[in-house]
């Protein structure tokens, strides 16, 4: 059950922005995630209405007690009110940066956090009008573990990721290569004298080694919290300037596993598309259903054109027969 949080308790000495500066703001709510019962904080602006779709930012805290969902929400709530953002701050298990556990245990914790975050996002999409193309994830310090694990494994959910001076250990990167999406927007920010600078630089190199494009920014100073304006400015630029394309691939009839339906969703919308199914067959339909001659793995390509004249191409390798959506 949701209830108002009196976040000023135990936080008034933290030096974070006050939540009392906006007299019309909504309360910060303490929620329980449905799948596993994990707690999370939620802020929905007082101006929320169903008349438009709203962006959602999931914020990942670092090592307790240096960072908590409460501290993340303390930074974001007032900013979210002013900028029309829904913000969720889940309580995470795999964000211990000072003395992290061995890799096998850390990966278990990261998978717990992944289930929590995906459940939170799914719940909020049911309860509120969330813009599918504006779901973002950010965080600080050891929150980097969760952002990379969950964000990279689910590019279909998170359009952009931003890590602020994040912890990194390559041994924790339990991300299958076929889940990586080189069109997913990623930015990493670190300080010139930051204690995690080497880890952060290593994360950038690892991401680039996987063929991903990473926006990198070095700022002055050492390990410190960063104003929400910095990640939000990046997220807004991604939403405005970069095409968002989602390919949804399904089997309409389980009794006909070789017949595959292809759907394309894009923002801004495409005016023309051409599908290449990987077996020398093609289609100009928006949502074609294609029947393959035999089971196997096929590389599907769709070329999309916008009203502006810009053209884009996306590829997806799929398994047909005993179908798995890759």
């Amino acid at each position: 059950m949701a209830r108002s949080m009196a976040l000023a308790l135990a936080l008034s000495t933290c030096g974070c922005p006050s939540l009392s500066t906006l007299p019309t703001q909504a309360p910060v709510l303490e929620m329980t995630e449905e799948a596993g019962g994990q707690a999370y904080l939620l802020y929905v602006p007082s101006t929320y209405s169903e008349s438009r779709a709203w962006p959602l930012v999931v914020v990942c805290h670092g090592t307790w007690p240096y960072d908590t969902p409460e501290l993340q929400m303390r930074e974001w709530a007032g900013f979210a009110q002013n900028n029309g953002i829904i913000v969720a701050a889940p309580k995470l298990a795999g964000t211990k940066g000072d003395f992290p556990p061995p890799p096998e245990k850390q990966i278990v914790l990261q998978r717990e956090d992944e289930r929590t975050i995906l459940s939170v996002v799914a719940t909020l999409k049911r309860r509120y009008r969330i813009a599918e193309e504006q779901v973002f994830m950010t965080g600080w310090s050891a929150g980097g573990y969760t952002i990379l694990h969950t964000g990279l494994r689910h590019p279909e959910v998170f359009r952009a990721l931003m890590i602020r001076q994040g912890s990194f250990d390559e041994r924790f990167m339990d991300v299958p290569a076929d889940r990586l999406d080189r069109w997913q927007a990623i930015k990493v920010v670190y300080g010139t004298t930051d204690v995690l600078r080497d880890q952060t630089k290593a994360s950038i190199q690892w991401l680039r080694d996987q063929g991903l494009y990473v926006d990198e920014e070095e700022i002055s100073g050492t390990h410190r919290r960063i104003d929400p304006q910095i990640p939000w400015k990046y997220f807004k630029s991604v939403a405005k300037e970069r095409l968002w394309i989602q390919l949804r691939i399904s089997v309409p009839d389980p009794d006909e596993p070789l017949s595959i339906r292809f759907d394309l969703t894009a923002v801004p919308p495409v005016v023309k598309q051409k599908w290449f199914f990987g077996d020398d067959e093609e289609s100009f339909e928006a949502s074609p259903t294609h029947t393959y001659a035999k089971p196997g793995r096929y590389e599907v390509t769709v070329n999309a054109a916008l009203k502006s004249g810009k053209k884009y191409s996306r590829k997806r390798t799929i398994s047909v027969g005993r179908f798995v959506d890759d």
Side-chain angles (χ1 to χ4, degrees):
M1 179 180 293
R3 58 188 176 86
S4 298
M5 287 288 292
L7 288 181
L9 296 177
L11 296 178
S12 58
T13 61
C14 293
C16 300
S18 172
L19 293 180
S20 63
T21 57
L22 297 170
T24 61
Q25 71 178 15
V28 175
L29 304 174
E30 184 180 28
M31 311 291 290
T32 300
E33 169 267 317
E34 295 176 354
Q38 187 61 278
Y40 68 98
L41 301 182
L42 174 66
Y43 188 80
V44 180
S46 62
T47 52
Y48 174 81
S49 75
E50 293 283 335
S51 62
R52 69 174 179 89
W54 291 65
L56 169 64
V57 176
V58 177
V59 292
C60 299
H61 66 83
T63 305
W64 186 92
Y66 312 109
D67 196 21
T68 63
E70 290 83 0
L71 287 172
Q72 287 287 332
M73 192 59 77
R74 170 70 72 171
E75 292 177 342
W76 275 90
F79 183 84
Q81 174 72 26
N82 280 336
N83 290 274
I85 312 164
I86 295 175
V87 179
K91 183 177 181 181
L92 303 172
T95 58
K96 187 173 176 58
D98 46 4
F99 299 103
E104 60 275 12
K105 184 175 181 179
Q106 174 66 20
I107 289 172
V108 170
L109 296 176
Q110 289 175 175
R111 289 176 179 172
E112 290 179 9
D113 290 341
E114 177 185 13
R115 287 190 291 270
T116 295
I117 290 170
L118 294 179
S119 176
V120 168
V121 172
T123 297
L124 296 180
K125 285 182 176 180
R126 290 194 300 270
R127 295 180 178 177
Y128 301 96
R129 188 178 173 192
I130 303 294
E132 289 280 346
E133 79 283 3
Q134 294 190 60
V135 179
F136 309 109
M137 185 184 297
T138 187
W140 178 62
S141 198
Y145 293 143
T146 295
I147 296 169
L148 289 174
H149 177 89
T150 301
L152 293 178
R153 287 169 64 93
H154 297 280
E156 77 284 0
V157 176
F158 300 100
R159 182 170 183 182
L161 313 174
M162 182 167 178
I163 300 172
R164 298 171 282 157
Q165 304 174 120
S167 301
F168 177 76
D169 188 325
E170 185 174 348
R171 299 174 301 166
F172 300 167
M173 295 307 298
D174 179 38
V175 184
D178 61 4
R179 294 301 302 163
L180 297 172
D181 182 349
R182 67 186 183 91
W183 294 286
Q184 187 179 35
I186 305 169
K187 183 170 183 176
V188 180
V189 177
Y190 57 91
T192 53
T193 57
D194 190 81
V195 294
L196 295 180
R197 186 177 187 275
D198 290 345
Q199 290 188 41
T200 305
K201 293 285 286 184
S203 73
I204 295 170
Q205 188 59 54
W206 185 89
L207 291 165
R208 289 175 175 166
D209 287 345
Q210 311 312 306
L212 303 176
Y213 179 81
V214 183
D215 291 297
E216 176 182 359
E217 182 179 355
E218 185 172 16
I219 60 176
S220 62
T222 186
H223 205 57
R224 60 183 175 84
R225 309 182 79 87
I226 297 177
D227 192 304
Q229 177 62 39
I230 295 177
W232 183 240
K233 181 179 179 180
Y234 177 67
F235 293 151
K236 283 202 305 181
S237 70
V238 168
K240 181 179 180 180
E241 300 168 8
R242 303 190 190 183
L243 177 68
W244 180 78
I245 289 182
Q246 288 292 295
L247 305 183
R248 290 183 171 84
I249 304 169
S250 59
V251 180
D253 185 349
D255 293 330
E256 298 184 19
L258 300 184
S259 293
I260 311 299
R261 178 182 170 88
F262 300 88
D263 291 286
L264 172 66
T265 303
V267 178
V270 301
V271 295
K272 184 166 57 175
Q273 63 285 312
K274 185 176 183 180
W275 295 88
F276 301 85
F277 300 117
D279 62 352
D280 297 326
E281 297 293 330
E282 304 170 357
S283 174
F284 289 97
E285 294 181 33
S287 299
T289 296
H290 178 65
T291 301
Y292 288 87
K294 59 182 179 180
R297 292 181 68 82
Y298 297 88
E299 185 176 74
V300 177
T301 302
V302 59
N303 293 339
L306 304 184
K307 186 177 180 180
S308 65
K310 290 184 177 180
K311 297 179 180 179
Y312 298 85
S313 180
R314 294 290 188 268
K315 294 182 179 181
R316 176 79 64 84
T317 300
I318 64 171
S319 296
V320 175
R322 299 177 63 182
F323 182 80
V324 177
D325 182 359
D326 294 329

